[in-house]
Amino acid sequence: MPKLTKLALLLLSALPCAAMAAEDAIPANDTSPTQGAPATFEPVDVYDLITKSETTVSAIYYGRNRQADWSAPPNRDDITVNALNLGLNFRSGYAWNKLGFDAAAHAALRLDNGKGWSEVLYHDINDSTQPGGMDKSSAVLSQAALKFRQHEDGQGFSARAGYTPIGIGTLGTSGGLQSHAYRGVEMKYKFGDFEVGYGWADQFRNEWDTRFRDMSNSWEQGRSNGSAAKRVDYVNSLGFRYAPKNGFVDFGIGEGKDYRRNAQIAGSYSWQLNGDDKLTATGYYFTAKYQTQLSGIQNPKNEYHTSGSLSYATNGWTLMGGLGYTKAPDSGELNFRLTPWGNSDNRNFIQTWGQLDDFVWNGMTVYKVGVNYDFAKQGIPGLTVGLSGNYSTGAKNPVSNRSHTLREVDFSVGYTVQSGPLKGASIGVYPAWLRTDGFGANNGVASYGKSDRNDVKVIASYSKTF
């Protein structure tokens, strides 16, 4: 067992014991008549599991049309999809105010034939109906986990174990229409504005798969016929977070056993200016290095990404500017995960990403500007419009052997119903344009980078909690 795992388990197993011991201790100078009396217990209700539970039903429509300009094979990255995701999410109450369980199920329905790999439907990589596999409808039990809490207010020790999201350190479970999940455990201890935690997992399920699979050193997790994937026994991460009013600092270190190690730190702080005006600064630094045993990379090098942003909010407007740089000689496009692909991560702190690309290619410097307007100031609460642009230089394609300039423009318009029986229902439209200056070049054998692409997504959702 590696040092990171031993340290995390020792620390987190000791914390709840120490906290409960402190709660139960009687001061030495306590002379009250109750000292030494037999313990008494208030009646408890195990039925809190059900009577204090919540069930959320959800429906999400996802439509996308992406046209890509890739010369060989033609149009390999085109996507056309119309899908409906139906969800049922159960969160129990806590028996004895301590122990509960959660479960979630989802059905992802393909509404037409579609094209390409949508990443919101089950993708059968072995179906040769289309090159690269076929998107299909499916239904899955996506989460099933036990949960524990020491205190109702969230302070003290808490844990989840089973098929569950994990969000601590460099592990995360961001997804598309439904959350990805691990087979593993997440343990946290919170004291005031501080939180320390540890996550461990040995299997993972993507939104485009119907089962939990072992971690592996292969991009497709051993799903295709004849894959030579080798197992990554587990991924794990230790994390620390300090989140006082108006800011936070988040730190994490992680390891995919014998494949990759990483670490990251992010921080943000907001200053309240005159009236409702606000200035927010955010920074992010990520670093990682492959391990030769399972990556196969000889003499692996340190890789990193750093990005920061400033945003200013005033009178319904939010103006933002960002700057980022990436060095990833072994990954090419920086790998934030602890396995090659299909394992989630906690990269949500990137300040210079775009809708069609994260802008984290080796050698890339990226500049980002954006503006967003909230029409609540005009008497239309719930309506927002946004526009942003990315401009980058220095990304080198080893196939074309030259540096490329990538540019992206993203637009968004969204509306959320504010009242009535459909309160919370939302719809958003997200057009985007990416130009890559030939960065998607290929030599007939190997390809690298990304092609020019035009894209528009429409997402509509509604959920109700009972």
Side-chain angles (χ1 to χ4, degrees), residues 59-319:
I60 306 174
Y61 166 78
Y62 179 89
R64 184 177 191 181
N65 186 294
R66 186 176 84 184
Q67 298 176 347
D69 180 17
W70 197 291
S71 57
N75 304 319
R76 78 169 202 183
D77 284 337
D78 283 3
I79 293 175
T80 302
V81 58
N82 288 282
L84 179 65
N85 187 280
L86 303 176
L88 182 65
N89 195 325
F90 175 80
R91 296 178 294 276
S92 81
Y94 287 83
W96 309 288
N97 206 26
K98 301 291 184 185
L99 187 66
F101 68 94
D102 294 340
H106 294 86
L109 308 176
R110 192 183 74 173
L111 301 181
D112 59 13
N113 289 334
K115 183 179 182 180
W117 193 327
S118 69
E119 297 191 353
V120 300
L121 292 167
Y122 164 56
H123 191 76
D124 186 349
I125 199 170
N126 294 309
D127 189 326
S128 59
T129 306
Q130 290 185 3
M134 171 68 87
D135 274 359
K136 298 179 178 180
S137 298
S138 65
V140 295
L141 179 64
S142 51
Q143 296 178 33
L146 295 175
K147 59 185 180 182
F148 171 85
R149 68 181 184 189
Q150 186 178 353
H151 297 297
E152 188 174 357
D153 62 1
Q155 294 289 311
F157 181 74
S158 63
R160 297 175 58 84
Y163 296 92
T164 177
I166 295 177
I168 192 69
T170 64
L171 289 180
T173 45
S174 58
L177 306 188
Q178 55 177 278
S179 176
H180 301 167
Y182 300 85
R183 185 177 76 174
V185 60
E186 176 189 77
M187 299 180 289
K188 296 180 178 180
Y189 189 85
K190 184 174 175 61
F191 44 106
D193 295 328
F194 294 88
E195 182 179 73
V196 61
Y198 175 74
W200 180 98
D202 67 347
Q203 288 189 347
F204 185 79
R205 189 193 67 82
N206 300 291
E207 188 169 8
W208 51 90
D209 202 353
T210 56
R211 52 170 284 193
F212 286 80
R213 297 180 187 270
D214 291 341
M215 309 287 185
S216 83
N217 66 347
S218 172
W219 68 270
E220 35 68 280
Q221 295 180 283
R223 285 178 296 166
S224 65
N225 295 330
S227 171
K230 295 180 180 179
R231 182 180 177 185
V232 175
D233 289 342
Y234 59 81
V235 297
N236 67 149
S237 181
L238 181 66
F240 170 85
R241 186 176 180 87
Y242 174 56
K245 184 179 179 181
N246 297 328
F248 72 86
V249 174
D250 195 297
F251 172 77
I253 56 175
E255 178 188 25
K257 187 176 184 298
D258 296 327
Y259 181 77
R260 189 159 168 86
R261 294 174 181 169
N262 62 20
Q264 66 183 32
I265 185 169
S268 181
Y269 191 80
S270 295
W271 293 269
Q272 199 70 43
L273 305 178
N274 294 331
D276 293 332
D277 292 4
K278 182 184 292 187
L279 179 67
T280 301
T282 304
Y284 176 51
Y285 178 79
F286 172 93
T287 184
K289 188 176 183 179
Y290 286 102
Q291 303 300 294
T292 301
Q293 183 171 339
L294 286 182
S295 74
I297 298 174
Q298 303 300 317
N299 302 314
K301 301 174 181 63
N302 288 317
E303 303 186 325
Y304 68 91
H305 165 82
T306 183
S307 57
S309 70
L310 277 175
S311 66
Y312 178 64
T314 179
N315 200 33
W317 294 93
T318 301
L319 309 175

